Amino acid sequence: MLRLLADIAAPRLCPVCKRPLIKGERALCTTCMVRLPRTGIHLTSTNSMTEALSNPPAVPGLAAAWFHYNPRSEFAPLIRRAKYSDRPGLARALGRAFATELIADTPSAIEAVDVLLPVPMHYRKYLRRGYNQSEEIARGISEATGIPVGDNLVAVRAHATQTRRSRDARRKNVAGMIECRCPEELEGLDIAIVDDVFTSGATMAECALAIGRGGGRPSSVGALCLALANS
C-alpha cells in the first residue's frame, strides 16, 4: 500500500526512457530491459576481464559484465545516476537484476562464489557522496543470490579520476591505494570483486593484488561489474 501511494504521488520512472514503471518493473522498464546491450562475456571461458586479473593471488574466478558502456549511449545514465545522482537504490536494483540473469545463465558459476568484495571508496569521497555505488551493487547481487558482502578491502588513500587516462597511467594512479584487512577471513574462499564499470581493469587488479599483499590466499578471484567500457 505504501509503495502504491508513493507511486501515485511521485511515479517511479525508467532511468533510460523516462516511462513510468509498472507493477513488477524494478530497475528498468521491460522494453529497455530487453534492449539493454548485454555483453554476454560470462558465457566465455576467457575475456578482457579474466585477462586483466591474470596475476591475482589465486586462479581466475567468474568474470562478468552486464552491458556495454558508451558515454554517448542512451543507457549511459544508468551508471551516471547510480553513481552521482544520489541513487543508491538504483545501484542496488541494477545489481539485483544483473545477478538474476547470472543465476539463469551460469547457475553453477554464481553458486561457487563465497563472498562479494566491493571496490572500496576513500572515506572523504564517501562523506561527500553518502554511499559507495559498488557496495550498493554488491548488496543487490547479494539480495538475489544470498552471497554475503565482505568489507575486507579498504581504500587507504584517495586517487584522482581514472577518466581519460591511459591503461598504464590508470594502474599507476591506483597503485598502493587499497589494502586488505583480516585477509585470513578469505582463506580458501572463492571471491568476486564488485565494481560499477570495468575499463582497463586497473582498479580491480589492484584489489586482487591487495589481497595477495595482505597474505590472503583465496581459492579464486573473479570480477563482477554492471558495465564494460572501452579502455
Side-chain angles (χ1 to χ4, degrees):
M1 180 63 72
L2 290 175
R3 171 59 64 86
L4 177 61
L5 292 174
D7 286 347
I8 293 173
R12 296 175 301 126
L13 303 179
C14 173
V16 176
C17 68
K18 307 298 190 297
R19 186 181 66 80
L21 297 178
I22 62 175
K23 183 179 180 180
E25 295 178 339
R26 302 291 294 273
L28 301 171
C29 71
T30 301
T31 300
C32 290
M33 186 67 79
V34 170
R35 295 173 51 246
L36 189 71
R38 291 167 173 80
T39 70
I41 64 172
H42 57 285
L43 300 175
T44 63
S45 57
T46 59
N47 54 57
S48 59
M49 298 180 72
T50 58
E51 291 171 1
L53 293 174
S54 60
N55 190 32
V59 299
L62 173 65
W66 195 19
F67 64 92
H68 291 287
Y69 177 79
N70 183 322
R72 293 177 294 279
S73 165
E74 62 183 315
F75 292 95
L78 288 176
I79 297 299
R80 290 197 291 265
R81 289 175 183 168
K83 192 169 185 173
Y84 300 116
S85 301
D86 195 19
R87 297 287 298 276
L90 175 59
R92 188 174 296 200
L94 291 172
R96 188 164 51 243
F98 175 34
T100 300
E101 293 191 9
L102 286 177
I103 293 170
D105 290 344
T106 56
S108 58
I110 195 70
E111 288 171 6
V113 177
D114 294 309
V115 64
L116 304 168
L117 295 183
V119 170
M121 178 180 288
H122 192 261
Y123 76 92
R124 287 201 293 267
K125 181 181 286 187
Y126 188 94
L127 289 175
R128 291 196 303 269
R129 191 170 295 175
Y131 65 98
N132 177 358
Q133 73 279 357
S134 298
E135 182 179 345
E136 294 301 325
I137 294 166
R139 294 196 181 284
I141 295 173
S142 177
E143 289 173 3
T145 63
I147 302 169
V149 179
D151 58 359
N152 301 78
L153 297 178
V154 179
V156 294
R157 67 171 177 82
H159 72 284
T161 178
Q162 296 280 66
T163 305
R164 297 196 179 102
R165 291 177 182 266
S166 67
R167 183 182 297 271
D168 186 57
R170 287 171 183 266
R171 293 188 180 279
K172 291 179 179 178
N173 189 40
V174 298
M177 180 190 77
I178 296 167
E179 289 184 359
C180 180
R181 306 288 170 83
C182 302
E184 66 279 1
E185 295 178 350
L186 307 176
E187 193 77 25
L189 299 183
D190 291 289
I191 296 169
I193 301 169
V194 181
D195 205 359
D196 53 353
V197 179
F198 185 99
T199 305
S200 68
T203 303
M204 282 195 172
E206 179 62 22
C207 288
L209 291 172
I211 294 170
R213 287 195 300 265
R217 292 295 177 265
S219 292
S220 72
V221 176
L224 300 176
C225 67
L226 291 181
L228 182 68
N230 293 326
S231 57

